[in-house]
Amino acid sequence: MGQRYGEIPARMVDFIGHQKLFFVATAAADGRINLSPKGMDSLRVLDERRVIWLNVTGSGNETAAHVQELPRMTLMFCAFEGNPMILRLYGTARVIHTYDAEWETLYSHFNPLPGARQIFDLAVDLVQTSCGMAVPFLDYVGEREQLLDWTEKKGEAGIRDYWQERNQQSLDGKPTHILVPQS
């Protein structure tokens, strides 16, 4: 049966650290809900109530737009091996862009990734587990290299051009502030 916690229990920190995949859900006050799969060793648990994850360049930038309008976020992890479990972290998130003062300090928690565009800092206020008995067993084969190859080929200037063209607004036209600080 599911359980609830006010902070991330130590045994869950270990579980999170072993996950190769997690899901991020956000929504603005109106418009579309966003649910994105994430990987690439991009998540760190800083303490029992704080998690950061490094967001790399992608085709959209919904999470940044949503969090700046309505900062609620849910992270979900599923056990694809071993005992079944689904773990959700609920909380309030902040987006840290490459131009923000906190960027360097928070980015130092990660191995550098080309195309890194934001860090999301989640203040966890609820941790929930559920059974996960319907989640299938899956085997981890390895990381996909296409995104890293693409960003390295584009180079830093090419990535900034891509942000200019494709990452400044959400699907619903909400600003992401990827290039210009929020006024």
Side-chain angles (χ1 to χ4, degrees):
M1 292 308 265
Q3 296 184 341
R4 294 180 183 181
Y5 308 91
E7 59 189 32
I8 307 168
R11 70 184 184 284
M12 301 297 174
V13 173
D14 187 53
F15 172 77
I16 291 168
H18 286 91
Q19 301 310 300
K20 303 294 186 193
L21 170 70
F22 64 99
F23 300 87
V24 176
T26 58
D30 61 350
R32 291 164 179 82
I33 296 168
N34 189 58
L35 175 62
S36 295
K38 302 294 176 184
M40 302 177 75
D41 188 32
S42 61
L43 187 129
R44 300 291 183 268
V45 177
L46 297 186
D47 63 39
E48 63 277 353
R49 297 192 69 129
R50 188 174 177 206
V51 173
I52 57 174
W53 65 273
L54 180 63
N55 190 22
V56 296
T57 299
S59 56
N61 200 5
E62 301 302 297
T63 305
H66 289 173
V67 164
Q68 290 172 100
E69 181 178 309
L70 190 61
R72 63 189 173 163
M73 177 182 284
T74 302
L75 302 182
M76 184 180 78
F77 307 85
C78 300
F80 296 112
E81 60 186 21
N83 293 328
M85 181 173 61
I86 297 170
L87 172 67
R88 290 180 182 91
L89 306 179
Y90 298 91
T92 302
R94 297 180 309 122
V95 59
I96 292 88
H97 293 94
T98 57
Y99 54 76
D100 289 327
E102 294 174 83
W103 174 264
E104 289 301 323
T105 300
L106 293 176
Y107 190 60
S108 71
H109 290 278
F110 301 97
N111 295 321
L113 286 173
R117 65 180 174 184
Q118 291 123 358
I119 295 170
F120 290 92
D121 188 346
L122 179 65
V124 176
D125 58 39
L126 177 63
V127 178
Q128 179 209 23
T129 62
S130 54
C131 70
M133 291 181 204
V135 175
F137 286 109
L138 297 174
D139 292 327
Y140 174 75
V141 176
E143 297 290 331
R144 295 178 191 263
E145 300 295 325
Q146 289 98 328
L147 183 59
L148 295 176
D149 294 345
W150 178 81
T151 54
E152 287 175 353
K153 185 177 179 180
K154 274 206 162 307
E156 194 170 318
I159 291 297
R160 290 191 68 75
D161 289 345
Y162 186 85
W163 291 352
Q164 176 74 34
E165 295 168 19
R166 303 279 307 262
N167 282 180
Q168 290 200 79
Q169 289 187 343
S170 73
L171 291 170
D172 296 315
K174 297 177 186 305
T176 67
H177 304 286
I178 192 167
L179 296 171
V180 180
Q182 191 170 353
S183 53

